[in-house]
Amino acid sequence: MTAPADATARLTGFVAALRAHGVRIGTGETVDAAQAAAALGFADRVLLREGLAATLLHTTDQRRLFDAVFDLYFPRGVGAPEGETGDRDDLRDRLADALAAGDDILLAQLAVEAVDGLGGYGSSPGSDGWSSYQTLERLRPQTLMARVRDDVRRQGGGEGFTGRLLEDEIRRRIEAFRALVAAEARRRVAERRGRDEIARRAVAPTADRVDFLYAGKDRLAELRRTVQPLARKLATRLAARRRRASRGTIDLRRTLRGSLSTGGVPMRPVLRRRRPARPELVLLCDVSGSVAGFSDFTMLLVQALHDQFSKVRVFAFVNRIDEITGLLDHGAADPEGLGARIRAEATLTGWHGSSDYGVALGEFAERYAGAVGPRTTVFVLGDARTNMSDPNLAAVRQIAERARHVHWLNPEPRAQWGTGDSAAYAYAELVAMHECRNAHQLGALIGRLLPV
Amino acid sequence: MFTSVDDVSARLAETGYLASPAVATTVFLADRLGKPLLVEGPAGVGKTELAKAVAAVAGARLVRLQCYEGVDESRALYEWNHAKQLLRISAGRDETWDETRTDIFSEEFLLPRPLLTAIRGDEPTVLLIDETDKADVEVEGLLLEVLSDFQVTVPELGTITATRRPFVVLTSNASRELSEALRRRCLFLHIGFPDEELERRIVRLKVPGIDAALAKSVVRVVGALRAMDLRKVPSVAETIDWARTLLALGAGTLDATLVRDTLGVILKHQDDVQKAAAKLDLDAV
Ligand SMILES: Nc1ncnc2c1ncn2[C@@H]1O[C@H](COP(=O)(O)OP(=O)(O)OP(=O)(O)O)[C@@H](O)[C@H]1O
Ligand SMILES: [Mg+2]
């Protein structure tokens, strides 16, 4: 790749696309990136990519997004591959060889050919395009598993102890190949439709911006892996707020003692630290099917933050409520299993299986009144969809009167509040309700709303 | 300091550090743009080692500020030598208090700490601020100040400005999130686990005498362990330790018994050992 004539425009477009995905990039970073590109040149894509990442990013979690967008703005190649693209059988043969050899360069090249040969659809401009789904459906790389394994064994590569690692290794290579195909299809589409649009639409957002309500199993698993880093970030933020809040009066005795070394001149005032007791937290979580992903994630996050509080109690409900604080303690060891265990071990449903906020909140106010006091902050997690039953506003009012704060986090877009069976606005009149659709919003809300 | 990214790789390799393209590129840029380098990544991937290698390549002195909980200005920047000052006062020559005071707040009584040491001095310097995330948030403010202008003000002495800016490397394990302001000052480098080929080269370099095929097997097993969902996955440091152990045991190839008996070198938690043993089918032996 030689220096594109429009190098500056390319770089600005790239930065704009990253910003559109929520990456915060200032002018200073953009200038650094331009300097990096000038120092590194455009000839080596890998160096350029690493140089731009070093200047534009400040954390690790945006790297996947960065790489996907980079592939569009500084593509491996331009246009269709040169030469004849083989047919499906020929591609499969060569793919099997490349997988057996673990040859990354060859795999990248085959991804290009595969999309070109198998991924095109439509013929009229405007309705045609390139599909990674279609490419992979036709090529079916996952069915090469046994063949590749046998090939490697035949060449003597499956012997000894490490022979047992072979299948997993091949599986990981196939996964990597699928990702290469997806990236190549995006590149081809971007050539047709304009890369700005494809960068905006077709690049998956970072995990923390995926809607809880629509996140699939994979994305939820990926999200769970962000719990610890997010908890660390929040702990830092809360500690800073706590420090600001406790910065207080001068401790005269310690100031004078400290002044002995300066000949009795009190040079450094010693500040007295107020050590306020940490707040208590109560979580009330709707764990019914529709919002379970949201609740599970939030519970894990709170669990990871537990040393920020003097006490945490967690309650789950569908149409009955039960305390699950104990289950959550073990949840840290096995986060995937948390949801299933809650639903298996707690009594959350009565005669039917759908949410009933009114009954559940009423039961909480009655059975667990002692859990809420003037030092308690209560978070209610749920979409406030009552299945047409009585929202029991009196129970919520009662909880709000006893607690220090009550916040309701609703995973639905604000535009849907109050539609259908949503009692969101009725509840929002009694307690502060916040839209909380993704991990990014959740982090911001917790960082802001938690008392310190 | 460097003419190209390849030059960085080649010269780091001479000192025994094998850099990935990401590492070499970022070191090259940190030097070119004159910006501090923030290196993040799991334990044992060679963050500290990188700073040492850069110092060796540059023929620079290495000044290291090791951060820990409670490290403060007097440990990081400078401190007055109170004991010596008191001695000087009580030695009490014929002079006014003003004269004494001027004297006891002079160079002679100053104890420079790493940040000040790195800024003074004319020789090329690599300043390593290690495990920055262990320090309290207040220290970040201090770092930010020093890394912005490379100058330090000692009220009694005046402002000391670097005549030669040190090459700064900050490392972090991300046990705490560093502030946005500090991050923005730095070039960012994440060092993850090396790819198979690089790790094989690292093993052969650090464990001379190990058979190429054994080194390859070692790296493949470690790769498999990293793909498992363990409490603490093995890092490069563990790969090297394991290879050394196997060499010391005189092993020529891996077998299930050997792996089972030495798994404790690679994995630190007992439940990880059990999980890995099950997944690798070691229980059968
Ligand atoms: N790329 C590399 N080339 C040569 N040696 C390496 C490399 N990466 C890691 N090592 C070796 O791995 C070991 C661990 O490295 P080091 O102590 O620098 O890790 P670290 O990232 O600073 O870990 P920690 O976060 O625990 O401080 C060292 O013995 C080092 O020599
Ligand atoms: Mg270290």
Side-chain angles (χ1 to χ4, degrees):
Chain A
M1 197 169 51
T2 50
D6 56 341
T8 317
R10 186 77 66 90
L11 195 58
T12 345
F14 177 56
V15 168
L18 288 173
R19 282 190 184 133
H21 276 281
V23 183
R24 289 180 48 194
I25 299 174
T27 332
E29 283 101 323
T30 315
V31 172
D32 285 348
Q35 279 185 354
L40 296 166
F42 289 81
D44 188 327
R45 249 185 114 240
V46 174
L47 299 196
L48 182 65
R49 188 183 64 210
E50 298 307 322
L52 293 182
T55 45
L56 294 174
L57 299 186
H58 302 288
T59 55
T60 318
D61 47 1
Q62 292 156 338
R63 184 58 200 250
R64 233 175 57 156
L65 171 78
F66 175 94
D67 284 345
V69 177
F70 181 86
D71 281 343
L72 292 179
Y73 283 81
F74 302 93
R76 240 176 268 270
V78 179
E82 280 169 29
E84 268 305 275
T85 300
D87 63 7
R88 174 178 180 277
D89 289 338
D90 170 62
L91 277 169
R92 272 175 68 89
D93 289 345
R94 284 154 62 211
L95 180 58
D97 290 347
L99 288 169
D103 185 335
D104 295 337
I105 296 173
L106 202 52
L107 286 171
Q109 202 177 309
L110 284 169
V112 172
E113 285 188 38
V115 171
D116 189 59
L118 306 175
Y121 62 83
S123 50
S124 65
S127 71
D128 60 348
W130 303 92
S131 153
S132 64
Y133 177 78
Q134 179 182 309
T135 309
L136 293 168
E137 273 304 293
R138 292 190 179 160
L139 194 58
R140 303 187 75 74
Q142 65 280 15
T143 60
L144 288 170
M145 178 70 215
R147 172 174 162 190
V148 173
R149 181 197 58 211
D150 294 344
D151 284 350
V152 175
R153 288 212 177 121
R154 208 168 311 119
Q155 292 151 16
E159 281 157 23
F161 178 78
T162 44
R164 68 186 73 186
L165 309 177
L166 195 57
E167 290 201 0
D168 280 335
E169 287 172 346
I170 296 169
R171 214 166 279 134
R172 290 206 290 273
R173 281 175 211 160
I174 291 176
E175 269 320 299
F177 176 74
R178 298 174 73 93
L180 287 169
V181 168
E184 171 62 10
R186 270 199 304 270
R187 181 188 75 79
R188 293 298 293 271
V189 175
E191 279 186 352
R192 281 221 99 89
R193 304 266 161 77
R195 60 171 79 89
D196 292 339
E197 190 195 332
I198 299 307
R200 212 172 37 245
R201 276 196 311 119
V203 174
T206 48
D208 68 334
R209 310 234 172 202
V210 177
D211 256 42
F212 286 123
L213 295 182
Y214 309 115
K217 241 173 71 188
D218 288 359
R219 249 29 238 290
L220 285 175
E222 191 184 333
L223 256 183
R224 274 194 296 269
R225 286 194 288 279
T226 68
V227 164
Q228 292 302 335
L230 179 58
R232 284 199 293 269
K233 196 182 288 187
L234 287 171
T236 307
R237 209 179 300 163
L238 294 173
R241 268 179 54 201
R242 191 170 301 128
R243 212 175 3 260
R244 272 199 300 279
S246 71
R247 194 160 286 159
T249 49
I250 292 183
D251 184 334
L252 199 58
R253 205 162 55 86
R254 284 177 56 210
T255 303
L256 287 179
R257 188 162 2 106
S259 73
L260 289 181
S261 61
T262 47
V265 186
M267 305 224 320
R268 292 182 192 212
V270 178
L271 293 179
R272 193 195 311 275
R273 296 230 170 232
R274 271 194 293 128
R275 288 220 168 274
R278 302 197 164 187
E280 293 172 11
L281 185 68
V282 165
L283 284 192
L284 306 182
C285 312
D286 178 355
V287 295
S288 65
S290 55
V291 295
F294 167 56
S295 290
D296 290 358
F297 181 81
T298 311
M299 284 188 254
L300 288 170
L301 184 61
V302 164
Q303 163 69 15
L305 280 169
H306 71 273
D307 49 1
Q308 300 294 324
F309 308 100
S310 62
K311 192 169 194 184
V312 178
R313 291 180 75 177
V314 184
F315 300 84
F317 64 88
V318 175
N319 52 53
R320 301 205 45 196
I321 197 156
D322 199 359
E323 176 156 14
I324 54 158
T325 311
L327 292 178
L328 205 59
D329 287 344
H330 306 294
D334 174 27
E336 302 99 284
L338 175 67
R341 219 164 35 235
I342 290 173
R343 281 169 275 278
E345 294 182 29
T347 312
L348 306 177
T349 50
W351 326 291
H352 61 96
S354 45
S355 317
D356 187 331
Y357 278 76
V359 170
L361 293 171
E363 193 182 352
F364 176 78
E366 211 169 282
R367 268 175 66 196
Y368 298 104
V372 178
R375 308 189 22 78
T376 319
T377 295
V378 179
F379 275 30
V380 185
L381 314 179
D383 57 9
R385 294 207 170 264
T386 56
N387 284 302
M388 296 303 177
S389 55
D390 173 19
N392 196 354
L393 298 178
V396 175
R397 202 173 290 121
Q398 193 183 330
I399 298 169
E401 273 163 12
R402 296 181 62 104
R404 178 160 160 212
H405 303 289
V406 180
H407 296 287
W408 190 307
L409 307 186
N410 190 334
E412 280 195 340
R414 200 176 281 272
Q416 285 169 29
W417 294 6
T419 61
D421 62 343
S422 165
Y425 284 122
Y427 288 128
E429 281 183 15
L430 303 177
V431 300
M433 187 173 282
H434 312 267
E435 180 190 86
C436 184
R437 294 165 59 181
N438 53 40
H440 177 75
Q441 277 184 334
L442 177 64
L445 283 169
I446 290 197
R448 193 158 55 82
L449 299 179
L450 276 188
V452 290
Chain B
M1 199 150 78
F2 300 104
T3 58
S4 67
V5 176
D6 282 342
D7 182 43
V8 177
S9 305
R11 286 165 63 195
L12 284 176
E14 279 168 29
T15 74
Y17 192 91
L18 301 180
S20 66
V23 170
T25 307
T26 318
V27 168
F28 174 74
L29 285 179
D31 177 43
R32 270 300 158 92
L33 306 187
K35 295 194 85 175
L37 178 55
L38 170 60
V39 188
E40 250 179 21
V45 288
K47 300 184 295 292
T48 305
E49 195 74 11
L50 173 62
K52 294 183 184 166
V54 170
V57 163
R61 67 179 172 149
L62 179 72
V63 178
R64 179 173 183 167
L65 171 61
Q66 182 66 47
C67 297
Y68 51 89
E69 221 182 305
V71 66
D72 60 4
E73 217 175 290
S74 65
R75 294 282 138 199
L77 198 54
Y78 70 88
E79 188 173 29
W80 289 106
N81 189 339
H82 292 313
K84 201 168 165 193
Q85 285 176 324
L86 277 180
L87 275 177
R88 170 68 185 77
I89 294 169
S90 48
R93 296 173 208 147
D94 266 345
E95 59 189 1
T96 65
W97 166 242
D98 275 350
E99 284 165 339
T100 314
R101 194 172 50 193
T102 318
D103 191 33
I104 61 172
F105 286 112
S106 64
E107 281 283 331
E108 194 191 339
F109 299 89
L110 188 72
L111 294 172
R113 303 296 187 201
L115 293 179
L116 183 56
T117 307
I119 278 186
R120 290 210 293 180
D122 301 319
E123 68 262 64
T125 302
V126 170
L127 169 61
L128 165 60
I129 304 175
D130 213 4
E131 316 207 351
T132 315
D133 52 330
K134 302 265 164 43
D136 304 310
V137 189
E138 286 86 356
V139 176
E140 273 187 42
L142 180 65
L143 292 178
L144 205 55
E145 247 176 83
V146 175
L147 298 182
S148 306
D149 327 319
F150 290 92
Q151 61 180 31
V152 168
T153 302
V154 182
E156 298 84 352
L157 288 182
T159 299
I160 301 167
T161 310
T163 45
R164 180 171 195 151
R165 287 192 173 196
F167 184 103
V168 185
V169 179
L170 301 99
T171 78
S172 162
N173 250 322
S175 70
R176 175 174 72 73
E177 188 80 4
L178 301 180
S179 74
E180 173 117 348
L182 185 59
R183 291 176 174 278
R184 283 183 185 276
R185 282 259 162 264
C186 303
L187 291 190
F188 179 70
L189 170 64
H190 178 263
I191 305 188
F193 299 126
D195 65 24
E196 215 179 298
E197 197 257 344
L198 178 58
E199 190 157 23
R200 219 155 47 213
R201 288 199 290 132
I202 296 174
V203 169
R204 297 196 61 191
L205 181 75
K206 294 285 161 181
V207 192
I210 195 165
D211 172 64
L214 181 58
K216 184 170 181 188
S217 302
V218 162
V219 169
R220 281 177 67 189
V221 174
V222 169
L225 292 170
R226 285 184 192 143
M228 293 175 195
D229 192 16
L230 300 177
R231 273 169 69 180
K232 186 175 180 317
V233 293
S235 188
V236 184
E238 281 79 34
T239 315
I240 295 174
D241 285 347
W242 194 34
R244 287 210 175 105
T245 309
L246 294 171
L247 186 69
L249 292 173
T253 52
L254 287 185
D255 61 52
T257 319
L258 188 61
V259 174
R260 193 194 50 196
D261 291 348
T262 53
L263 211 50
V265 178
I266 339 174
L267 300 177
K268 307 299 175 195
H269 293 284
Q270 195 49 41
D271 31 346
D272 282 353
V273 171
Q274 273 161 13
K275 199 168 191 176
K279 289 217 169 159
L280 290 174
D281 254 347
L282 299 179
D283 293 330
V285 290

